Amino acid sequence: VFSSTLDVWVNLVFVTYSLVALVSPADEWDKSEAGLSLARWRDNPSLASAFAWLVVWLQFLVYFFAGVNKLVFGWIPWTTGVALQNLAIDSSFHDFARGTHVPYLISLILCYVTLLQRLVVPFGFFFRRYRLWSVLILGTMHVGYAILMNVNLFPLIGIASLLLILPPRMSALPRA
């Protein structure tokens, strides 16, 4: 199941969960990690989860350093706009999309959009005002990956982890 370097993400999520479980005192773990208990989520829907915050940091690092990696190892293709043209013939694309000609202008725009998604959008995780936008932008990226590419669990793990970042619903203010 874990056949690509992108699938390392799921392993890191499991390792993070295990580390948090090992270092958290039992009473603290019980208070902040509702797990599969529906009753505990209903009692306190905005739990302060140490695991969730570590996953948010992990996601930030995965996205951000994926952008850094694109610039370090592929500066010319990503900044000149040919990276997506080259990727269109990659074997990771599903048969229906492989070999599709991507016009240069579209490829150039999408290369910079990709770099923006990886280097700037993840900072929105840490600002309540931009969290929903960050989740929507990166979530649609994962849906696009799932449709166009054969990248195993990467889109599923990405979307599942993004759900931890969504801001909780605002509770009703008590009446005076």
Side-chain angles (χ1 to χ4, degrees):
V1 173
F2 305 111
S3 62
S4 76
T5 55
L6 298 174
D7 294 331
V8 170
W9 194 347
V10 73
N11 294 317
L12 291 174
V13 169
F14 291 140
V15 168
T16 302
Y17 186 82
S18 301
L19 288 174
V20 171
L22 286 173
V23 300
S24 295
D27 59 334
E28 191 65 34
W29 183 261
D30 286 339
K31 282 190 282 185
S32 67
E33 306 299 332
L36 298 175
S37 171
L38 203 54
R40 289 185 40 214
W41 279 107
R42 284 187 184 130
D43 290 343
N44 186 5
S46 60
L47 290 169
S49 170
F51 169 66
W53 269 108
L54 283 175
V55 171
V56 169
W57 272 102
L58 174 65
Q59 281 184 267
F60 171 80
L61 294 172
V62 166
Y63 289 122
F64 184 77
F65 284 107
V68 169
N69 189 42
K70 284 176 181 17
L71 291 177
V72 169
F73 296 109
W75 176 268
I76 292 173
W78 284 99
T79 57
T80 60
V82 296
L84 292 178
Q85 288 178 327
N86 296 340
L87 193 60
I89 57 170
D90 192 86
S91 62
S92 65
F93 268 79
H94 290 296
D95 290 337
F96 74 89
R98 189 177 308 127
T100 303
H101 173 68
V102 181
Y104 176 73
L105 183 60
I106 292 174
S107 178
L108 179 67
I109 291 169
L110 290 176
C111 281
Y112 279 95
V113 166
T114 300
L115 291 173
L116 181 78
Q117 283 177 328
R118 299 308 178 107
L119 296 169
V120 177
V121 171
F123 283 97
F125 295 167
F126 305 109
F127 301 97
R128 185 173 190 84
R129 182 178 195 170
Y130 301 111
R131 273 187 208 146
L132 182 59
W133 284 109
S134 294
V135 169
L136 289 174
I137 291 167
L138 294 169
T140 55
M141 176 195 74
H142 285 295
V143 170
Y145 283 174
I147 292 169
L148 295 173
M149 301 177 78
N150 183 21
V151 286
N152 297 328
L153 295 175
F154 179 65
L156 178 65
I157 297 301
I159 291 171
S161 297
L162 284 171
L163 293 176
L164 292 174
I165 296 171
L166 282 176
R169 278 187 250 148
M170 297 298 288
S171 58
L173 295 173
R175 294 184 183 186

